[in-house]
Amino acid sequence: MKLAEKAQFLAYDPGVTPREGGLPGLDVLKNVISSINLFGIIAVVGALAISALVWAWGHHSGGHQAEANGKKGTVVAAGCALLLGAANGIVAFFSAMGTQVH
């Protein structure tokens, strides 16, 4: 195979794009994923509250290890909340970036 033929083969566009409504049950899947996201956010609220309590308890009791673990837990919970809240936007951003690749 010549180099030009290889490049042409690699540049082949199969013409596949996302299309809403192609399969039955799409609304159900969206509801399930939204519910999972909600449960995740609720769990993160609990994790943040517990981590903040551990942080405060460690600080006031002189437990440096507990204080450090509370700080880490608080930062991780805040990061998870950020990612869960921004999940739809992140996927939409990278999907739009992917459509620009030719």
Side-chain angles (χ1 to χ4, degrees):
M1 206 181 248
K2 294 180 185 178
L3 182 60
E5 290 175 4
K6 286 182 183 179
Q8 204 173 27
F9 180 73
L10 290 175
Y12 175 71
D13 180 16
V16 178
T17 57
R19 186 176 66 121
E20 192 167 332
L23 291 174
L26 188 60
D27 291 333
V28 173
L29 183 61
K30 285 180 182 180
N31 286 336
V32 168
I33 298 300
S34 296
S35 297
I36 291 171
N37 195 350
L38 176 64
F39 281 125
I41 290 172
I42 292 170
V44 166
V45 169
L48 184 62
I50 291 170
S51 295
L53 287 172
V54 168
W55 184 0
W57 175 74
H59 177 74
H60 290 292
S61 68
H64 300 293
Q65 187 70 29
E67 183 179 1
N69 287 336
K71 285 179 185 178
K72 282 189 283 188
T74 302
V75 170
V76 168
C80 287
L82 176 69
L83 290 174
L84 285 170
N88 198 29
I90 291 169
V91 171
F93 172 77
F94 284 107
S95 178
M97 292 297 291
T99 60
Q100 296 178 5
V101 175
H102 294 289

